[in-house]
């Protein structure tokens, strides 16, 4: 599933698929890392922030994964979305 998501051009659709995958079960480390990598390609601040929030709520990220999530947060331009 994760491999196919990276080829979706719609931020909305990609984010929905990622959020559904995150909500189904806790991801393996590899799947979680793939998700964070895919999130980097989402341009929409709203969609990116929502996927990152879901990732944090539904998983127990390692220290390195938290760093990657925070690096993704830095790419969000909207102060509102960043603060959520």
């Amino acid at each position: 599933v994760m491999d196919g998501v990276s080829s979706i051009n719609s931020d909305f659709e990609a984010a929905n698929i990622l959020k559904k995958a995150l909500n189904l079960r806790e991801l393996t480390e590899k799947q979680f890392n793939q998700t964070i990598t895919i999130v980097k390609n989402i341009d929409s601040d709203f969609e990116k922030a929502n996927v990152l929030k879901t990732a944090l709520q539904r998983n127990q990220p390692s220290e390195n994964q938290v760093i990657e999530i925070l690096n993704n947060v830095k790419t969000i331009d909207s102060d509102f979305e960043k603060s959520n």
Side-chain angles (χ1 to χ4, degrees):
V1 172
M2 297 302 181
D3 293 332
V5 175
S6 60
S7 65
I8 296 174
N9 292 327
S10 166
D11 288 344
F12 175 78
E13 292 300 332
N16 276 339
I17 292 169
L18 291 174
K19 288 184 288 188
K20 284 180 184 176
L22 288 163
N23 281 319
L24 287 176
R25 66 191 186 308
E26 189 167 333
L27 302 180
T28 65
E29 184 173 347
K30 180 181 176 184
Q31 291 169 325
F32 191 88
N33 291 339
Q34 286 177 315
T35 300
I36 298 306
T37 299
I38 293 168
V39 171
K40 291 177 186 177
N41 296 321
I42 295 177
D43 293 323
S44 165
D45 288 344
F46 176 79
E47 298 299 348
K48 185 179 286 191
N50 280 323
V51 173
L52 293 173
K53 282 189 281 190
T54 302
L56 285 171
Q57 292 168 350
R58 300 288 300 161
N59 289 271
Q60 298 294 319
S62 67
E63 184 176 334
N64 288 335
Q65 290 169 330
V66 170
I67 291 168
E68 285 301 312
I69 290 170
L70 293 175
N71 286 335
N72 265 307
V73 170
K74 290 178 188 177
T75 67
I76 297 174
D77 294 323
S78 167
D79 290 338
F80 178 79
E81 295 302 339
K82 212 180 270 192
S83 69
N84 280 325

